[in-house]
Amino acid sequence: MADIIQLLPDHVANQIAAGEVVQRPASVVKELLENAIDAEATLVKLIIKDAGKTLIQVIDNGDGMSTTDARLSFERHATSKIKTAEDLFQLHTKGFRGEALASIAAIAHVNLKTKQERDEVGTEITIEGSTIVSQEIVVTPKGTSVSVKNLFFNIPARRNFLKSNTVELRHVIDEFHRVALAHPKIHFTFYNNGSEMFNLPVSNYRQRIVNIFGAKTNEKLVPVEEATEVVKIVGFVGKPEFAKKTRGEQYFFVNERFIKSAYLNHAILSAFEGLIRPGAHPSYFLNLTVDPQSIDINIHPTKTEIKFNDEHTLYAILRSSVKHSLGQFNIAPVLDFEHDSNLDTPYTDIKSVVDTPKIEVDRNFNPFQESHSMKGQASAFKRPSSGHWDSLYIGLESKKITPQADFKDMHIEGEEAASSLFEAEASVEQDHKTYQFHNKYIISAIKSGLLVIDQFRAHQRILYEEFLKNLTVKEGVSQQLLFPLQIHLPTPEVEIIKQLKEDLEHTGFVFSSIGDELIEIMGVPLNVPESEVSIILEQLINDVQHEVPEASFSAIDLLAKSMAKSLAIKAGQPLKKDEQEYIVNKLFACKEPNVTPSNRLTFVTVGIDELDKKFI
């Protein structure tokens, strides 16, 4: 049999390996920013166009590279970070595998300019798909500039799998946040399509958080600080009242490297137990400093997962540290053992002499005496006087009973009372056609059995079709607010609201102004409470960031889904009879009453045959 195993060409192997390191434009942003930090840069500039699909450029003022290093940096497994396998457990840099630049160069057009401080001129290298096109001497400032253009130009299938610009931009911003939060001593700037999105000067950690997430974030932060032999914890957690429905602002850093850990996240949630409502997620920005030998970073290509030697101890320390901070700053509720001051004896009465109460006894009282003889006795429940006895007979002349008096209005209790009992219940059944069960389901009787409706899902379907109609016809009804409602949001989220402003106005929202971090609302859709507006926008922004498509109708559809989900009556809310009947009638007037906008059942039917089987 002929030999069938062969070595792959370098350019094919590079493209296969690039799929692990570079999954989307945000992956390139992460690798280039970390390289700039490893070069000890103090100023880093990120420039992107079309969410990184067209251009990703990172400029830094770091150490730069020599001509030989610049050429060698694009070779696979070429790195200056480690020399032996033992160095993997003494890592103090972000990168160490030497794969990033080689992987990026395999699937994009890359231009590198770099110069060391002691050199008079620098080096410029241009690479297209792992092929070096040119290498020249160039005049450039100290540091390195890497431009990545036309990502995935030679892998069209991977490029087609990229999401919309809005989604890809969100991932890029997330990676930028993770790097910028871990290094507050570095000045970062971020430009998107020619406009400045972030300008983060050198600051302390708290100010860096505020600069990224907005000025209102400052009042939400509770400092956490703990130092032990195992770990040193420094950072902030959000106050319980500011917990969100989504996991947006949750950041763990281990030795200045962003990580994801469901185990440590559970430690934070357990510290907040009893302080936040179920389903809510607290925000946190925590830096953990541990011995590099006690962790293993080399278990995932993206380096966001870490193995700890002693996770249980770390869990306990983290949980107790957060709980201690919440209690120390009077965030956690405390038991109040103080008694009511109204029960205290006044100070002036402490030494006063209390007289023995006098008891008066009516010795003439006879309990067996007739009631008419007790007219002179005092009564605790004295009936008010009805006046002179003549007043009792006034008006009786008009109420004389004649022999032809009609007795049809008189109700006489007799044998018919027992037989009419079920007829009365039947009449009640006809008056009340619907019933609410466990404040979650609406039950109604139909010919074939019972109809059980999920009130949240049914109302979601009703609102979805109403919002979709308003958005399509562009005739949303608005109710004006007496005072403008101001909502503070981070800059990226304000940009999303700007994109959706026109569609939101069709649903009934009226915006008076939209600033960099402040949105002012003058009107909201009809029947939308003012207290729910911020929750609706938060849910909407989260939905848009994760799954908004390019098509305008799909964006409108997503907007209608998100608003319907936020405004629908939740399980546990009691409904009046007319509200129950409204849900039932409006549901079956919908075009698709069977399912919610997310294709989940709104109601089920229980047939009489099924009920009969239960009694066999």
Side-chain angles (χ1 to χ4, degrees):
M1 183 177 177
D3 298 332
I4 60 175
I5 296 177
Q6 58 183 350
L7 290 174
L8 290 174
D10 287 343
H11 69 280
V12 177
N14 286 342
Q15 289 184 10
I16 294 172
E20 297 180 358
V21 180
V22 183
Q23 300 171 355
R24 57 191 343 144
S27 305
V28 178
V29 171
K30 172 182 178 293
E31 298 294 344
L32 296 183
L33 288 177
E34 289 183 348
N35 281 346
I37 292 168
D38 287 341
E40 299 183 355
T42 59
L43 175 63
V44 179
K45 182 186 294 185
L46 171 63
I47 302 171
I48 67 169
K49 290 183 180 178
D50 298 332
K53 298 176 183 177
T54 303
L55 171 68
I56 300 172
Q57 185 176 10
V58 174
I59 305 171
D60 67 70
N61 64 347
D63 296 335
M65 291 182 284
S66 65
T67 303
T68 305
D69 286 346
R71 180 70 177 263
L72 194 59
S73 65
F74 289 99
E75 297 295 329
R76 185 161 301 281
H77 305 306
T79 179
S80 61
K81 314 298 172 61
I82 62 173
K83 291 182 173 61
T84 63
E86 288 74 16
D87 293 340
L88 288 172
F89 297 98
Q90 290 291 340
L91 288 174
H92 298 281
T93 58
K94 298 292 181 293
F96 53 87
R97 293 198 187 106
E99 292 182 322
L101 287 179
S103 298
I104 295 169
I107 54 175
H109 297 164
V110 180
N111 178 265
L112 170 70
K113 294 180 182 178
T114 183
K115 182 177 94 66
Q116 293 180 321
E117 189 173 11
R118 65 175 181 268
D119 296 335
E120 295 182 358
V121 292
T123 304
E124 179 180 9
I125 297 178
T126 303
I127 298 180
E128 296 180 1
S130 297
T131 303
I132 297 179
V133 177
S134 65
Q135 179 174 343
E136 299 175 352
I137 297 174
V138 67
V139 177
T140 183
K142 175 209 169 194
T144 304
S145 171
V146 182
S147 299
V148 179
K149 302 178 182 178
N150 305 322
L151 193 64
F152 299 123
F153 80 99
N154 52 354
I155 311 179
R158 177 64 69 89
R159 189 176 181 89
N160 291 337
F161 277 109
L162 293 178
K163 303 293 184 182
S164 66
N165 285 353
T166 307
V167 176
E168 295 299 338
L169 177 61
R170 180 186 68 84
H171 287 288
V172 170
I173 292 174
D174 285 347
E175 292 295 346
F176 178 78
H177 285 173
R178 293 166 181 175
V179 176
L181 283 171
H183 301 277
K185 299 303 180 184
I186 299 177
H187 186 171
F188 289 92
T189 54
F190 182 6
Y191 295 88
N192 176 37
N193 293 333
S195 61
E196 182 183 274
M197 289 195 70
F198 293 97
N199 188 353
L200 308 176
V202 176
S203 62
N204 58 32
Y205 191 45
R206 187 182 194 118
Q207 189 60 45
R208 175 56 58 90
I209 296 172
V210 172
N211 288 339
I212 291 178
F213 296 103
K216 279 288 180 181
T217 312
N218 190 36
E219 64 186 45
K220 305 176 184 179
L221 300 178
V222 177
V224 178
E225 188 169 354
E226 189 70 40
T228 66
E229 295 180 357
V230 178
V231 61
K232 180 182 178 182
I233 302 173
V234 177
F236 300 90
V237 295
K239 294 180 180 178
E241 59 265 30
F242 297 106
K244 295 185 177 182
K245 295 169 64 177
T246 57
R247 303 187 181 190
E249 302 168 357
Q250 296 184 341
Y251 296 90
F252 275 124
F253 300 98
V254 174
N255 296 351
E256 297 185 341
R257 182 191 301 276
F258 172 79
I259 67 159
K260 296 178 181 178
S261 174
Y263 188 68
L264 297 183
N265 181 70
H266 188 272
I268 303 292
L269 291 178
S270 62
F272 276 87
E273 187 176 2
L275 300 178
I276 58 177
R277 62 187 183 277
H281 302 278
S283 57
Y284 52 81
F285 312 87
L286 296 174
N287 294 284
L288 282 65
T289 304
V290 300
D291 184 359
Q293 294 185 354
S294 66
I295 58 175
D296 185 5
I297 303 170
N298 192 26
I299 62 172
H300 195 275
T302 59
K303 307 169 197 167
T304 56
E305 296 181 12
I306 290 181
K307 287 292 184 183
F308 297 92
N309 283 354
D310 192 355
E311 284 188 332
H312 299 290
T313 303
L314 198 61
Y315 180 99
I317 295 174
L318 184 61
R319 179 178 179 272
S320 60
S321 300
V322 174
K323 203 152 193 158
H324 174 70
S325 294
L326 293 175
Q328 183 180 4
F329 292 91
N330 296 325
I331 303 301
V334 295
L335 294 176
D336 185 12
F337 292 104
E338 296 182 1
H339 54 275
D340 191 351
S341 59
N342 294 327
L343 301 178
D344 292 340
T345 303
Y347 181 78
T348 56
D349 296 342
I350 292 177
K351 296 183 179 180
S352 61
V353 180
V354 180
D355 297 333
T356 305
K358 297 180 180 179
I359 301 175
E360 295 182 358
V361 179
D362 184 6
R363 300 185 181 278
N364 297 324
F365 175 72
N366 185 2
F368 302 102
Q369 197 171 2
E370 293 294 331
S371 59
H372 60 80
S373 64
M374 299 173 60
K375 292 181 180 179
Q377 305 294 332
S379 175
F381 302 94
K382 187 175 181 181
R383 185 175 296 178
S385 175
S386 59
H388 199 265
W389 64 271
D390 292 341
S391 62
L392 298 175
Y393 298 94
I394 296 175
L396 286 183
E397 292 81 6
S398 61
K399 299 181 180 179
K400 290 181 180 179
I401 300 176
T402 61
Q404 294 82 18
D406 189 6
F407 293 96
K408 64 181 181 179
D409 294 331
M410 298 181 65
H411 298 280
I412 301 173
E413 185 176 357
E415 295 181 357
E416 293 294 327
S419 63
S420 64
L421 181 61
F422 293 100
E423 295 175 6
E425 282 197 1
S427 64
V428 172
E429 183 74 19
Q430 294 174 0
D431 293 338
H432 305 292
K433 297 180 180 178
T434 60
Y435 298 90
Q436 191 179 23
F437 182 66
H438 278 257
N439 288 342
K440 184 177 182 181
Y441 300 105
I442 299 174
I443 299 178
S444 180
I446 55 177
K447 290 183 179 180
S448 60
L450 291 177
L451 180 69
V452 183
I453 301 173
D454 187 310
Q455 65 186 35
F456 171 66
R457 295 184 182 182
H459 198 212
Q460 195 175 337
R461 163 53 68 176
I462 296 167
L463 292 177
Y464 167 71
E465 294 200 2
E466 288 180 357
F467 285 134
L468 196 60
K469 179 182 177 182
N470 292 339
L471 286 166
T472 308
V473 182
K474 301 182 179 180
E475 293 181 355
V477 181
S478 177
Q479 55 183 358
Q480 298 298 308
L481 300 176
L482 186 61
F483 300 102
L485 179 64
Q486 294 184 342
I487 299 176
H488 294 267
L489 295 172
T491 304
E493 297 183 2
V494 174
E495 292 297 323
I496 294 175
I497 296 297
K498 287 180 180 179
Q499 296 174 13
L500 299 174
K501 181 179 180 238
E502 185 177 352
D503 291 332
L504 285 169
E505 287 175 342
H506 295 327
T507 65
F509 281 98
V510 179
F511 299 93
S512 56
S513 66
I514 300 180
D516 292 337
E517 295 181 358
L518 179 66
I519 296 175
E520 196 171 77
I521 299 175
M522 289 293 297
V524 296
L526 199 63
N527 298 326
V528 174
E530 186 176 340
S531 59
E532 294 285 332
V533 173
S534 59
I535 299 175
I536 294 170
L537 293 181
E538 178 188 330
Q539 181 66 44
L540 174 63
I541 290 169
N542 181 67
D543 292 342
V544 169
Q545 285 178 332
H546 283 87
E547 58 185 30
V548 62
E550 292 285 357
S552 60
F553 178 79
S554 298
I556 291 174
D557 180 70
L558 178 64
L559 180 60
K561 285 181 181 178
S562 181
M563 291 185 62
K565 184 178 180 181
S566 299
L567 290 174
I569 53 173
K570 305 297 187 289
Q573 181 175 340
L575 299 177
K576 298 178 182 178
K577 292 296 180 183
D578 55 344
E579 293 172 338
Q580 297 171 22
E581 293 179 2
Y582 172 84
I583 294 290
V584 175
N585 295 334
K586 292 291 287 185
L587 175 64
F588 290 100
C590 293
K591 295 180 180 179
E592 293 287 342
N594 298 329
V595 293
T596 65
S598 54
N599 291 323
R600 303 179 70 183
L601 288 176
T602 57
F603 67 87
V604 294
T605 57
V606 181
I608 295 178
D609 295 339
E610 295 181 48
L611 291 174
D612 290 340
K613 291 178 182 178
K614 301 293 183 182
F615 293 94
I616 295 177

